[in-house]
Amino acid sequence: MIFVGVPQFLFQTETTMSRQQQTSFKASDSVVEVKSKFDAEYRRFAFKRNCPGGFQEFYSLLQTIHRIPEVDMLLGYADDHGDLLPINNEDNFHKAVSSANPLLRIIITKKEDEPAIFATNSLQRRKKGLGLTGLRTAGSLSAHSKSKMGLMIGRPQNFRQISSIIDVDILPETHRRVRLHKHGTHKPLGFYIRDGASMRVTPYGVEKVPGVFISRLVRGGLAESTGLLGVNDEILEVNGIDVTGKSLDQVTDMMVANSHNLIVTVKPANQRNNVMHRGSKTTGNSGSFVSNGSTGSALSHDSTSPATHSTPITASNSIVEGDSDEEEDDDGDLILESDCPTFYQSHNITNLTSERLHSSPVVRTLQQSVSMPEYMGSNLRSGQNGHSGHSIQRSMREGGNIITM
Amino acid sequence: MMKFRFRRQGTDPQREKIKQELFAFSKTVEHGFPHQPSALAYDPELQLMAIGTKAGAVKVYGAPGVEFTGLHDDTTAVIQIHFLPGQGRLVSLLDDNTIHLWELTPTPPRQVGGVKRDGVVILQEVDNYSLPGRPGIESCSTTRVTVLLLLRSCDLLCVGTEGGGVYFLDLPSLSLKDGQTLLQDQVTQSLPEDYRCGKSLGPVESLQEHPRQAGKILIGYSRGLVVLWDVSSRQIEKLFLGKQQLESLVWECSGNLFVSSHSDGGYSVWAVVNDDCNNPQPVSSTIPYGPFPCKAINKILWRTTATGSPVLLYSGGMPRASYGDRHCLTIQQDTDHVTLDFTSRVIDFFTVHNVEQEKEFDDPSALVVLLEEELVVIDLQTSGWPSMPTPYLAPLHSSAITCSCHITSVPPKLWERLINAGRAQQGHEHAPGRWPICGGKNLAPPPKQQELLLTGHEDGTVRFWDASGIALTPLYKLSTANVFHTDCDSCDVPQDPGDDPDLQLEEEWPPFRKVGCFDPYSDDPRLGIQKISLCKYSNKLLVAGTAGQVIVLALSDERSDHTVDVAVVDLLQDREGFTWKGHDRLDPRLRPAPFPPGFQPQVLVQCMPPASVTAVALHAEWNLISFGTSHGFGLFDYQRRSAVLARCTLHPNDSLAMEGPLSRVKSLKKSLRQSFRRIRKSRVSGKKRTISTPTSKVQEANAALAEHEEMAPIQRRIEPRSADDSLSGVVRCLCFADTYLRDGTHHGPTLWAGTNSGSVYAYALVVPGVGSGRGSERGVAGESGGVCVEAVLGKEIQLMHRAPVVSISVLDGRAKPLPEPYEASQDLSIAPDMSNPHSVLIASEEQLKVFSLPKVSAKTKFKLTAHEGCRVRKVALVVFSSTAQEDYSEHTLVCLTNMGDMHLFSIPGLRPQVRYDCIRKEDISGIASCVFTRNGQGFYLISPSEYERFSLSAKAFTEPLCSVALERLSLTSDVTTMLPQTNGTLKNQIGQAEGQTEGLPSSLSSPLSDTPLSSPLSCADVTLESTGELTVEDVRDFLTTVDEEENNLKNIQEEEDRPPGILIN
């Protein structure tokens, strides 16, 4: 499962937003009451709702109010569902302001400190100190601090799943079943297919049969960003339906018809990446591979023993399984998504411009981890960086390191 | 991947049996004119006519309804056909130099659709032969067959060749009679020295048997020499030393004269006298259209008459410079001279005349001319030689077909009035002569009901065809051009009274006469008909065209002069920033115009912008019409002449729709890209050329080839449809229904519209005096509201997959389609079930879905594209009757996909029943032209001029069923023939009806399988029936009802939050 850096404030906020707006506009006057907390200190102040100013202004305002002018801090706020959500750019700042009812609770953490977990129900869970997420974060955090990378790596929960490798246990090693989650993003799926000839081993020897192949990946598209599909990969199935004997146009139509939840089974052109595949096979758990790919961060890779791969049943893992169970009803979950895209686009832009500090390393590290198999395939790059002879996992980590620097 | 493993049930044998009783696929008959005809033959004894085509088909026609089709194994052009008179056999010569013998062969009696048929006969190829090359001579062109002649005795086939030799084949064995071959050398030896001059005689151009003396044949060589050869004694009887290049020969019936036609446009008459000297000179020689150079006379006929001078008929011979491009045939008798001027090339012609030996004269009764695009028959017995209407082989494409519409079980009253209107039209054009080709007997029972096929044409006409039987007969032609002011009539009007006599006085030479109705040139493409809807009970016709014109017509038996009311409906409403760059609207005629009996226009509704109309609906009972274009749709009350509703369906980003049909946006982009590539390429190659050496040229060529290939590979982009795809606002379907839209207790008139981007709009209509809904309540409340029709937006459904909505239909409480207007109120059909909840069936290009009403929640669905990779092109709700039980029938949804296959689904369960391959997937126009009947038949165009008729029903099919009296040695009289046929396929329907798949004779083998191909999912139990399922669709409800208040609130919010339609799939 692969995550790309689209921070968490997702449809939960989106959908509730409109409702809140309705009520809050009615209920409150034009003032936002702010209650901010840093360590054990509380500050209360207010500003006008219709002129909240920019995020940077607000950031420095808080620094002055809490008298921590030199401290790098992370901002979070509690929405009315009790979710702790981050404020790190204009967009989510405005969202936070608009969600104030009229009280806006701000939680400030030092950047060096353990970062707050921004997630659904994160506040409640934290209070309870229970649940998978909590456990997991605790464990991973210790690992994280051990690594002493000082890396700012986003939690899986902060990201939206855009793709996954599924059914590893039932597919032959040479095949890969990739699921692309188109919904919610404004990114194009971003690939092209073509006709071609494929070699098949038949009882009569090797035969050339017509097949459908990926011909091109669009830069910045969903398909490319997952790193799971490559040019010249042969398409074997579309959402479980064999494409043998189907024309290019038929396959195109099938893919477009399934585009919101596209599952393609491919025979990758580059079979070297399947080394990884075998490793996961030994663990006998398809999920472990998923977690490897997805959490992607240096967390689990620190421990070299394969056992650790399979031990934590991670939250992300359970998400995947839950999803695949629901796949039959692939339409059901789409209504919620329907109103997001415009927002994301603008968010991404602001991310790049104003908040490079925070978000960009996150995005890039993860992209690195996404393209992990490719990375392993070419030890060249890590070798260039003077880290040759390391284990696969090591080179992964170094990769992450290099990128952030 | 559990989800992909559908629960496969063992096929239910009970259900399978019912399916077999309901569904069966067959292509039954081809209507219209064969595409690209290439040969013609006539059997005067059996009175059968045969036409061969370039695709290798042989079609035999007799009396209306008598048809046979055969297809050669190779799709090679048929060059010649010859009947063995009276034997029911024919010989065909193909372009690949093979000779084929065909025969009407009886097969044992069989059960056909429950009726017993005796002595069923099919047309099948029995033998074929190809002439061997002369030993030692490599070139096969010398033995290339140029002409065939069948002797009257029917036992010898004379074969003329390119090399000048004449070969003789025994019939029906098709074996070469070795000793009989007449090579050119033999002829040359007996030629006078001065004529020989060392040159070859050229190919054999014509072979004709002496009309009185059997066994004597006239051999005409290309160089001009004609030889009378006695086959039995193998001697040259006479030589006729023609000097002009020969085209054809014909005997006079007494055998005293023969006529030759020549390449210089002249013909010569030669006398055959019993003296020994050779005839160096013809009796007379004429170049009818001289003196300037003329084109060749390709074929000439000389027919004697009892009344006087012989009739001379010949094709071609026109003055090369002035009329060289005309397709002409001349009929000449004494001073009567007519040059028939056709719009397409003359393939061949023959006359129908006396063939009995006793009769002294030919006395031709009719001339039959096969043209490239139509068949013309001229009555030679009536003075003036008028043309006769053809009961079949109608040129459907006389103007290109733009749309079609089928009406089942036409009420007798309407039928009669249509026939009368059609007769009135034909009265002055055609002679009421008897159809001359009347061989065979149509044994098919008279049709139980009358069926109409309406075709819309590019020239603005709507043609009404009798589609009840085998022969598609024209009934009536309606022209909509006279509603408008067109260029041609503006100049015609003043000319009519004064100029015409002058024109006639002025002696035109040649005396041309326009014959035939094939007219490929359209006066104004905007007149083209796009959509047709006919209410058969109220005789109201709705016709809509390319320039946004929507015309309501009513049937009248009287001629009428009136002005047509014009109403303009602006479909853009208040949308701004759009400019229409397409064609202008047509100018309506403002003065009263004469309208002949038949359908006469009442109202013209002009859509603005004048984009082509893409959907129409007519509800004559409510006096409402609805129409849609690429910009929106409108609702119009034609009784009160008032527009009720206009709704713009354009997406704000959709600029392409505004460009009109002449849009260049896409092509410009493409062409720019291409031209850049070309520039780049030429630069590269230019550079190369400067340094190129001869040896590198091959490499260069290879590189260029590789580059070309690299550029060429076809790629397909995988991207979901986005909201701003071009032409998203095109209205694809419209539908009126009396159903529950507001709530579950009040039903009322509704209007449904579906667009290209998967949006469905449902309007609740208030029609005075109709429905149990609020209309009646309101009628009490406000008198003003009761008078005119109102429309209130009820629901807006956005299909999540955004595929174009192909069809919408409302199903009643028993899940049966609602009856047509008037059917319920006049007790013509079972009243719809209004007590149980209704549902609406929405078919998009990708999915079929049934929603419950009034809540619009998905009940069942079938995702065709996701499963099969094909897209829905045409959809129809069809009633299939069982062959076993008289009263059992099922409503079924028939889907034609872009792969050309038919998928049948049960409703409302949407379970796949059967799948049949029907149309080649490459045949896009065939798929686009497909139209279904209500009882499981259908039509599609297999060529611009031919409809293939097919049947999906095991019970209802229309197929040829006819008998021919054959006088063949092996056969005795009267055999019943039954010949289901297809374009290039013959189907053994009998076998199918019996549930067998029998191998057909190899010559008629079919590329398509007879057995129903069961869809991969047909037996899969697709469990999608979950009533409470959360639907994909975003349903917006605008009618506030108590139980949906919350829902409404949410929807309203959504409305505010975002512009409609940014749902991204």
Side-chain angles (χ1 to χ4, degrees):
Chain A
M1 175 186 359
I2 309 300
F3 292 95
V4 156
V6 179
Q8 174 64 32
F9 39 84
L10 276 183
F11 47 78
Q12 286 93 342
T13 41
E14 283 300 307
T15 44
T16 52
M17 191 186 86
S18 55
R19 209 175 302 158
Q20 272 172 27
Q21 264 180 340
Q22 287 278 326
T23 46
S24 62
F25 276 133
K26 272 179 232 157
S28 72
D29 49 346
S30 55
V31 171
V32 178
E33 297 171 22
V34 181
K35 179 181 173 186
S36 69
K37 173 181 177 270
F38 178 68
D39 285 346
E41 283 180 51
Y42 285 93
R43 296 281 187 279
R44 275 176 181 276
F45 60 95
F47 60 86
K48 277 191 180 154
R49 187 184 288 275
N50 42 15
C51 50
F55 168 69
Q56 282 302 336
E57 276 178 57
F58 184 69
Y59 188 83
S60 40
L61 178 69
L62 284 175
Q63 280 181 326
T64 27
I65 286 176
H66 281 279
R67 293 184 192 144
I68 41 168
E70 296 305 315
V71 178
D72 277 347
M73 55 188 195
L74 290 175
L75 303 186
Y77 75 100
D79 77 344
D80 64 348
H81 287 262
D83 293 349
L84 179 59
L85 301 169
I87 302 178
N88 50 16
N89 60 29
E90 298 290 337
D91 274 309
N92 48 24
F93 170 60
H94 284 290
K95 191 138 293 145
V97 170
S98 63
S99 73
N101 191 15
L103 183 69
L104 176 65
R105 290 199 292 157
I106 300 283
I107 291 131
I108 304 169
T109 42
K110 244 191 203 165
K111 223 169 210 176
E112 297 90 77
D113 279 4
E114 96 179 37
I117 300 109
F118 301 121
T120 315
N121 293 331
S122 43
L123 276 191
Q124 280 92 329
R125 284 197 192 174
R126 229 174 155 213
K127 275 173 196 160
K128 283 172 197 159
L130 280 171
L132 277 174
T133 348
L135 274 178
R136 201 194 150 279
T137 36
S140 57
L141 274 173
S142 57
H144 182 242
S145 49
K146 244 187 265 171
S147 75
K148 289 172 193 164
M149 284 193 297
L151 260 186
M152 180 56 217
I153 295 171
R155 314 278 129 227
Q157 304 92 309
N158 294 359
F159 300 94
R160 200 175 41 73
Q161 188 185 17
I162 56 155
S163 69
S164 51
I165 301 183
I166 52 176
D167 295 333
V168 187
D169 49 343
I170 58 168
L171 281 179
E173 286 178 7
T174 50
H175 295 179
R176 182 187 295 161
R177 190 167 283 166
V178 178
R179 182 173 177 181
L180 297 175
H181 303 259
K182 163 70 185 151
H183 51 77
T185 45
H186 210 65
K187 262 189 187 174
L189 279 174
F191 67 101
Y192 288 73
I193 58 171
R194 62 163 172 91
D195 277 320
S198 149
M199 303 301 269
R200 291 278 165 81
V201 183
T202 64
Y204 315 103
V206 179
E207 253 178 25
K208 249 188 182 177
V209 291
V212 176
F213 296 83
I214 294 175
S215 60
R216 188 154 88 85
L217 297 180
V218 178
R219 182 166 293 177
L222 197 60
E224 191 215 41
S225 62
T226 64
L228 298 176
L229 299 173
V231 173
N232 294 332
D233 286 2
E234 185 185 357
I235 289 158
L236 304 170
E237 285 179 355
V238 175
N239 285 52
I241 291 157
D242 193 358
V243 300
T244 352
K246 292 219 163 30
S247 69
L248 183 66
D249 288 326
Q250 274 180 292
V251 177
T252 309
D253 284 339
M254 286 168 75
M255 286 188 162
V256 170
N258 286 308
S259 55
H260 58 271
N261 180 25
L262 182 62
I263 301 168
V264 280
T265 311
V266 292
K267 188 177 165 195
N270 182 359
Q271 291 283 339
R272 277 187 295 178
N273 300 345
N274 294 328
V275 181
M276 190 60 201
H277 210 149
R278 267 181 223 118
S280 79
K281 262 242 141 146
T282 52
T283 64
N285 183 354
S286 69
S288 73
F289 176 63
V290 170
S291 75
N292 266 345
S294 63
T295 41
S297 58
L299 309 178
S300 50
H301 295 303
D302 267 321
S303 48
T304 42
S305 80
T308 45
H309 286 277
S310 50
T311 34
I313 310 287
T314 60
S316 55
N317 224 341
S318 61
I319 287 166
V320 176
E321 278 154 9
D323 269 11
S324 52
D325 288 342
E326 285 164 31
E327 255 169 312
E328 182 99 55
D329 187 20
D330 45 12
D331 313 321
D333 51 342
L334 278 168
I335 290 173
L336 297 168
E337 312 288 327
S338 55
D339 39 5
C340 311
T342 41
F343 164 70
Y344 283 122
Q345 196 182 27
S346 58
H347 160 72
N348 285 339
I349 292 160
T350 46
N351 237 358
L352 284 173
T353 51
S354 68
E355 262 309 294
R356 190 170 287 163
L357 245 180
H358 283 257
S359 52
S360 55
V362 174
V363 173
R364 285 164 96 191
T365 25
L366 272 149
Q367 270 174 350
Q368 232 17 73
S369 75
V370 160
S371 54
M372 174 186 66
E374 183 191 29
Y375 220 75
M376 300 180 320
S378 59
N379 277 330
L380 246 179
R381 234 190 289 181
S382 56
Q384 278 171 346
N385 290 313
H387 292 280
S388 54
H390 284 263
S391 71
I392 286 159
Q393 283 83 359
R394 277 297 280 282
S395 78
M396 264 306 300
R397 197 189 70 203
E398 308 299 355
N401 238 336
I402 289 155
I403 291 302
T404 32
M405 291 193 316
Chain B
M1 288 292 101
M2 292 302 287
K3 64 191 174 293
F4 297 132
R5 292 179 202 134
F6 290 108
R7 234 190 317 137
R8 267 184 194 268
Q9 279 186 342
T11 46
D12 177 11
Q14 196 81 37
R15 180 64 199 158
E16 290 305 306
K17 187 167 172 287
I18 293 174
K19 276 200 221 167
Q20 267 185 11
E21 289 164 3
L22 291 172
F23 314 121
F25 179 73
S26 58
K27 294 184 180 178
T28 52
V29 66
E30 286 156 28
H31 294 308
F33 185 77
H35 188 51
Q36 293 188 311
S38 52
L40 177 71
Y42 181 62
D43 179 349
E45 285 180 36
L46 291 180
Q47 293 194 303
L48 293 174
M49 170 178 68
I51 293 177
T53 73
K54 280 191 180 159
V58 177
K59 298 183 152 213
V60 179
Y61 299 88
V66 179
E67 285 189 31
F68 311 91
T69 295
L71 188 80
H72 289 94
D73 287 342
D74 302 315
T75 50
T76 320
V78 180
I79 296 176
Q80 285 180 40
I81 311 179
H82 297 272
F83 271 103
L84 281 72
Q87 290 198 355
R89 287 187 178 132
L90 51 92
V91 168
S92 63
L93 169 67
L94 296 194
D95 200 24
D96 62 1
N97 213 31
T98 54
I99 297 165
H100 300 254
L101 179 66
W102 293 80
E103 200 169 78
L104 291 166
T105 319
T107 53
R110 275 180 170 162
Q111 203 80 8
V112 185
V115 190
K116 194 166 178 180
R117 300 286 176 213
D118 283 329
V120 167
V121 163
I122 52 168
L123 178 67
Q124 68 173 87
E125 192 187 327
V126 282
D127 207 352
N128 66 69
Y129 178 80
S130 68
L131 217 53
R134 264 171 75 185
I137 295 173
E138 288 286 308
S139 152
C140 61
S141 75
T142 50
T143 55
R144 182 168 179 83
V145 179
T146 50
V147 282
L148 293 178
L149 170 70
L150 261 167
L151 295 193
R152 265 191 308 280
S153 53
C154 286
D155 54 2
L156 200 63
L157 179 70
C158 313
V159 180
T161 61
E162 192 105 13
V166 180
Y167 299 78
F168 296 91
L169 297 178
D170 185 50
L171 276 177
S173 64
L174 278 181
S175 56
L176 186 65
K177 292 196 160 180
D178 277 325
Q180 296 234 358
T181 309
L182 168 68
L183 296 175
Q184 212 173 59
D185 311 350
Q186 271 173 280
V187 180
T188 329
Q189 279 161 19
S190 47
L191 283 177
E193 202 55 47
D194 58 330
Y195 189 85
R196 220 186 291 170
C197 52
K199 279 191 283 181
S200 127
L201 296 173
V204 178
E205 283 294 339
S206 185
L207 289 170
Q208 298 294 334
E209 191 187 12
H210 195 289
R212 302 282 168 186
Q213 300 165 18
K216 283 187 183 173
I217 58 169
L218 212 53
I219 305 169
Y221 294 95
S222 179
R223 209 177 113 193
L225 178 76
V226 180
V227 177
L228 184 60
W229 173 259
D230 191 322
V231 178
S232 45
S233 64
R234 294 188 41 74
Q235 274 184 353
I236 295 172
E237 292 252 313
K238 252 178 208 319
L239 289 169
F240 304 90
L241 307 174
K243 298 261 162 49
Q244 192 50 247
Q245 202 177 341
L246 189 77
E247 290 285 328
S248 81
L249 291 173
V250 67
W251 280 102
E252 192 237 16
C253 69
S254 65
N256 298 325
L257 288 175
F258 72 87
V259 185
S260 61
S261 75
H262 303 281
S263 63
D264 65 343
Y267 63 90
S268 307
V269 182
W270 304 76
V272 185
V273 212
N274 282 325
D275 55 2
D276 282 340
C277 66
N278 293 329
N279 304 39
Q281 289 298 325
V283 176
S284 70
S285 224
T286 325
I287 298 179
Y289 295 107
F292 298 111
C294 290
K295 296 191 89 172
I297 292 180
N298 309 101
K299 180 175 177 175
I300 190 160
L301 292 180
W302 178 282
R303 299 291 180 230
T304 54
T305 57
T307 50
S309 333
V311 182
L312 192 59
L313 309 108
Y314 52 87
S315 63
M318 300 313 290
R320 194 174 282 278
S322 39
Y323 300 110
D325 55 342
R326 300 268 185 125
H327 310 288
C328 290
L329 190 145
T330 307
I331 313 175
Q332 237 177 303
Q333 185 184 26
D334 273 340
T335 50
D336 292 335
H337 186 133
V338 169
T339 311
L340 303 174
D341 185 7
F342 302 112
T343 48
S344 56
R345 198 162 60 85
V346 177
I347 306 291
D348 202 355
F349 59 97
F350 64 83
T351 56
V352 179
H353 58 268
N354 282 327
V355 281
E356 287 108 62
Q357 293 277 339
E358 315 83 73
K359 290 268 173 69
E360 204 180 326
F361 300 104
D362 291 323
D363 277 329
S365 58
L367 164 70
V368 179
V369 190
L370 177 68
L371 303 163
E372 184 119 58
E373 306 288 356
E374 63 186 312
L375 185 82
V376 169
V377 178
I378 304 289
D379 183 357
L380 293 177
Q381 281 171 326
T382 313
S383 65
W385 300 318
S387 61
M388 259 188 236
T390 56
Y392 47 80
L393 286 168
L396 293 169
H397 62 321
S398 51
S399 169
I401 295 179
T402 43
C403 67
S404 54
C405 163
H406 184 270
I407 317 287
T408 323
S409 54
V410 178
K413 186 78 190 148
L414 169 61
W415 191 259
E416 200 182 298
R417 292 174 73 183
L418 274 176
I419 286 177
N420 288 337
R423 267 203 205 117
Q425 276 184 331
Q426 277 181 353
H428 52 277
E429 277 178 36
H430 293 292
R434 201 178 64 91
W435 181 246
I437 304 156
C438 45
K441 215 160 76 187
N442 185 6
L443 291 188
K448 290 187 205 86
Q449 52 184 20
Q450 306 293 356
E451 290 179 33
L452 261 184
L453 182 69
L454 276 59
T455 52
H457 297 262
E458 202 186 14
D459 62 353
T461 56
V462 177
R463 277 157 219 253
F464 291 64
W465 306 89
D466 175 3
S468 332
I470 300 305
L472 192 71
T473 317
L475 288 180
Y476 165 70
K477 182 177 127 180
L478 163 74
S479 173
T480 60
N482 55 358
V483 179
F484 303 100
H485 225 36
T486 47
D487 296 342
C488 39
D489 63 27
S490 60
C491 57
D492 271 357
V493 170
Q495 266 184 4
D496 262 334
D499 293 355
D500 257 8
D502 290 349
L503 277 170
Q504 280 182 354
L505 284 174
E506 201 179 294
E507 194 70 23
E508 196 194 7
W509 183 259
F512 285 122
R513 189 165 95 204
K514 282 258 171 222
V515 183
C517 57
F518 175 72
D519 177 17
Y521 307 106
S522 171
D523 298 332
D524 191 339
R526 293 177 296 169
L527 287 169
I529 306 293
Q530 294 297 329
K531 294 286 162 191
I532 304 172
S533 179
L534 173 70
C535 174
K536 60 188 178 189
Y537 301 110
S538 64
N539 304 333
K540 287 276 193 297
L541 178 67
L542 176 61
V543 163
T546 308
Q549 74 271 33
V550 181
I551 307 167
V552 183
L553 304 104
L555 189 60
S556 164
D557 298 331
E558 301 299 322
R559 182 192 159 89
S560 155
D561 290 75
H562 64 266
T563 356
V564 180
D565 293 317
V566 183
V568 176
V569 175
D570 178 19
L571 293 178
L572 274 186
Q573 294 291 289
D574 45 359
R575 296 292 185 97
E576 280 177 11
F578 290 117
T579 44
W580 170 251
K581 293 177 192 162
H583 48 237
D584 285 337
R585 58 180 277 191
L586 287 159
D587 294 325
R589 191 193 287 263
L590 297 171
R591 282 176 299 166
F595 297 106
F599 280 99
Q600 295 171 346
Q602 290 189 316
V603 192
L604 163 68
V605 182
Q606 178 65 52
C607 301
M608 292 306 277
S612 177
V613 176
T614 53
V616 292
L618 164 70
H619 201 297
E621 208 172 350
W622 303 337
N623 295 319
L624 290 175
I625 56 163
S626 181
F627 40 86
T629 70
S630 46
H631 304 100
F633 58 93
L635 179 66
F636 189 84
D637 180 347
Y638 62 83
Q639 188 80 52
R640 294 179 187 80
R641 310 279 200 264
S642 65
V644 180
L645 167 77
R647 161 90 193 213
C648 182
T649 52
L650 278 183
H651 190 269
N653 302 348
D654 187 0
S655 55
L656 211 60
M658 297 313 302
E659 299 278 339
L662 307 166
S663 164
R664 289 169 317 204
V665 174
K666 269 194 171 160
S667 58
L668 185 71
K669 207 190 210 172
K670 216 182 233 173
S671 66
L672 267 177
R673 195 181 302 152
Q674 275 165 358
S675 54
F676 272 123
R677 270 187 191 153
R678 217 171 294 137
I679 290 167
R680 205 185 306 150
K681 221 177 161 186
S682 66
R683 268 191 203 143
V684 170
S685 54
K687 236 184 244 168
K688 267 186 187 164
R689 204 164 294 141
T690 53
I691 50 156
S692 73
T693 57
T695 44
S696 71
K697 265 190 180 153
V698 179
Q699 285 170 9
E700 198 183 319
N702 278 339
L705 203 70
E707 191 181 4
H708 185 75
E709 272 174 3
E710 202 177 303
M711 237 168 65
I714 309 150
Q715 288 188 61
R716 290 283 183 273
R717 186 161 173 257
I718 307 298
E719 221 49 74
R721 258 180 228 89
S722 71
D724 49 352
D725 268 354
S726 62
L727 300 176
S728 60
V730 178
V731 177
R732 291 290 296 266
C733 56
L734 289 161
C735 140
F736 285 109
D738 183 2
T739 188
Y740 300 91
L741 185 65
R742 299 162 184 274
D743 54 65
T745 49
H746 302 94
H747 66 89
T750 58
L751 169 68
W752 297 75
T755 74
N756 230 14
S757 57
S759 300
V760 176
Y761 306 91
Y763 280 81
L765 307 181
V766 181
V767 181
V770 182
S772 76
R774 288 163 201 196
S776 47
E777 291 164 27
R778 215 174 273 180
V780 185
E783 281 84 70
S784 58
V787 179
C788 45
V789 182
E790 286 174 41
V792 190
L793 182 59
K795 298 255 160 53
E796 221 178 290
I797 305 164
Q798 175 61 59
L799 299 177
M800 208 56 178
H801 55 285
R802 295 203 162 275
V805 179
V806 179
S807 142
I808 302 171
S809 35
V810 175
L811 309 173
D812 74 359
R814 287 183 299 259
K816 302 260 181 295
L818 292 182
E820 284 175 44
Y822 285 114
E823 277 186 348
S825 61
Q826 297 190 357
D827 287 332
L828 296 161
S829 78
I830 307 158
D833 181 358
M834 303 305 274
S835 51
N836 291 306
H838 284 197
S839 48
V840 61
L841 168 66
I842 298 178
S844 77
E845 278 193 2
E846 291 185 354
Q847 297 185 8
L848 311 167
K849 256 185 160 169
V850 174
F851 297 88
S852 69
L853 286 176
K855 284 204 76 166
V856 193
S857 55
K859 280 166 79 180
T860 51
K861 69 176 167 192
F862 188 82
K863 300 208 251 171
L864 191 67
T865 308
H867 286 129
E868 315 254 325
C870 51
R871 325 185 102 248
V872 178
R873 285 282 175 264
K874 299 269 172 175
V875 154
L877 282 167
V878 166
V879 190
F880 284 96
S881 305
S882 167
T883 48
Q885 292 158 268
E886 202 57 48
D887 54 343
Y888 183 76
S889 65
E890 272 185 28
H891 286 269
T892 304
L893 181 72
V894 179
C895 271
L896 172 67
T897 70
N898 64 339
M899 306 301 289
D901 48 3
M902 300 281 177
H903 293 253
L904 274 63
F905 295 92
S906 64
I907 53 168
L910 297 180
R911 271 164 218 264
Q913 301 296 306
V914 272
R915 189 184 77 84
Y916 302 105
D917 282 328
C918 183
I919 311 176
R920 281 179 310 113
K921 68 175 173 187
E922 295 82 15
D923 186 3
I924 294 162
S925 62
I927 293 172
S929 64
C930 184
V931 57
F932 294 99
T933 76
R934 287 289 292 275
N935 59 9
Q937 299 193 54
F939 303 86
Y940 69 90
L941 286 172
I942 44 176
S943 69
S945 56
E946 282 171 291
Y947 270 113
E948 174 79 67
R949 190 185 190 118
F950 62 89
S951 173
L952 298 160
S953 163
K955 187 155 193 195
F957 45 82
T958 308
E959 61 188 0
L961 191 65
C962 34
S963 76
V964 178
L966 298 174
E967 295 165 13
R968 202 157 58 198
L969 292 171
S970 53
L971 296 168
T972 45
S973 59
D974 260 273
V975 279
T976 311
T977 61
M978 199 221 69
L979 202 77
Q981 62 200 25
T982 68
N983 186 35
T985 352
L986 276 185
K987 278 291 165 58
N988 193 337
Q989 207 157 33
I990 313 104
Q992 217 170 61
E994 290 171 352
Q996 308 163 346
T997 45
E998 289 200 6
L1000 288 165
S1002 61
S1003 58
L1004 310 165
S1005 68
S1006 119
L1008 299 175
S1009 153
D1010 279 345
T1011 38
L1013 297 159
S1014 70
S1015 155
L1017 294 161
S1018 62
C1019 51
D1021 183 27
V1022 188
T1023 42
L1024 292 165
E1025 257 175 305
S1026 56
T1027 13
E1029 186 194 48
L1030 188 58
T1031 75
V1032 208
E1033 280 68 31
D1034 169 31
V1035 179
R1036 269 182 266 159
D1037 198 331
F1038 295 85
L1039 298 169
T1040 349
T1041 50
V1042 185
D1043 53 335
E1044 285 173 4
E1045 206 158 33
E1046 194 188 324
N1047 193 13
N1048 273 346
L1049 192 66
K1050 186 185 159 211
N1051 286 324
I1052 290 162
Q1053 285 169 9
E1054 278 175 15
E1055 268 282 83
E1056 287 170 1
D1057 288 346
R1058 60 198 166 91
I1062 47 158
L1063 287 164
I1064 304 295
N1065 195 345

